[in-house]
Amino acid sequence: MVFQKQLRLPAMRRGFHLITEHVLRELPELAQVRAGLLQVFIQHTSASLCLNENADPTVRHDFEQFFNRAAPENAPYFHHTSEGPDDMPAHLKAALLGSSVSIPVANGRLALGTWQGIYLGEHRDHGGRRSLVLTLLGA
């Protein structure tokens, strides 16, 4: 069986946000899957998805601090600046982290590790609502 849905997330402030519950609410079909795979894909080039620690909020803060240093705003070597100082760094952060995650499904549940969650990396100051494509494959 194959299910595919689009999920429109609410606008979120710049930073890293756990969106696992948003995804689960959108996919009641997950309960029907004994074994399968969920792919979550973001349709944007200035936001990203990744899997990481879901318990301690300081992880999200530290992620933001690290990536702000790795791709700083107003770097003199950026040429793509017409959309604001946060735009090119946002594209770089998204390229480093990626636009999709794939998660195994087992017995109607995401087979995430104990401390894993799905993160949205919002890399713009005013990124707006973000669209995800959820593709669930399974038997």
Side-chain angles (χ1 to χ4, degrees):
M1 84 181 85
V2 178
F3 295 99
Q4 191 169 69
K5 293 185 174 183
Q6 185 160 347
L7 169 59
R8 194 109 156 104
L9 295 170
M12 297 183 190
R13 63 178 165 57
R14 183 172 169 166
F16 288 84
H17 307 276
L18 281 168
I19 61 166
T20 311
E21 293 305 318
H22 290 274
V23 171
L24 291 174
R25 275 194 303 272
E26 194 64 30
L27 282 175
E29 298 87 355
L30 192 66
Q32 301 171 36
V33 178
R34 280 184 299 114
L37 187 68
L38 172 64
Q39 185 202 38
V40 183
F41 174 78
I42 191 164
Q43 296 180 302
H44 302 275
T45 60
S46 58
S48 62
L49 296 173
C50 68
L51 296 176
N52 218 293
E53 158 103 32
N54 69 356
D56 185 346
T58 63
V59 170
R60 295 184 283 270
H61 172 267
D62 292 348
F63 257 61
E64 181 68 7
Q65 294 302 308
F66 172 83
F67 282 101
N68 286 342
R69 284 185 180 89
E73 291 186 16
N74 298 310
Y77 44 84
F78 290 153
H79 294 281
H80 179 73
T81 59
S82 61
E83 295 179 55
D86 65 341
D87 190 42
M88 190 60 222
H91 292 308
L92 291 170
K93 294 170 189 177
L96 289 170
L97 287 161
S99 58
S100 68
V101 294
S102 295
I103 305 161
V105 176
N107 300 315
R109 300 181 59 164
L110 296 180
L112 291 167
T114 302
W115 306 112
Q116 284 183 314
I118 305 168
Y119 275 86
L120 166 74
E122 176 53 71
H123 307 304
R124 298 293 311 264
D125 290 328
H126 305 287
R129 297 186 69 184
R130 300 300 192 169
S131 296
L132 306 178
V133 177
L134 311 176
T135 305
L136 178 61
L137 308 166

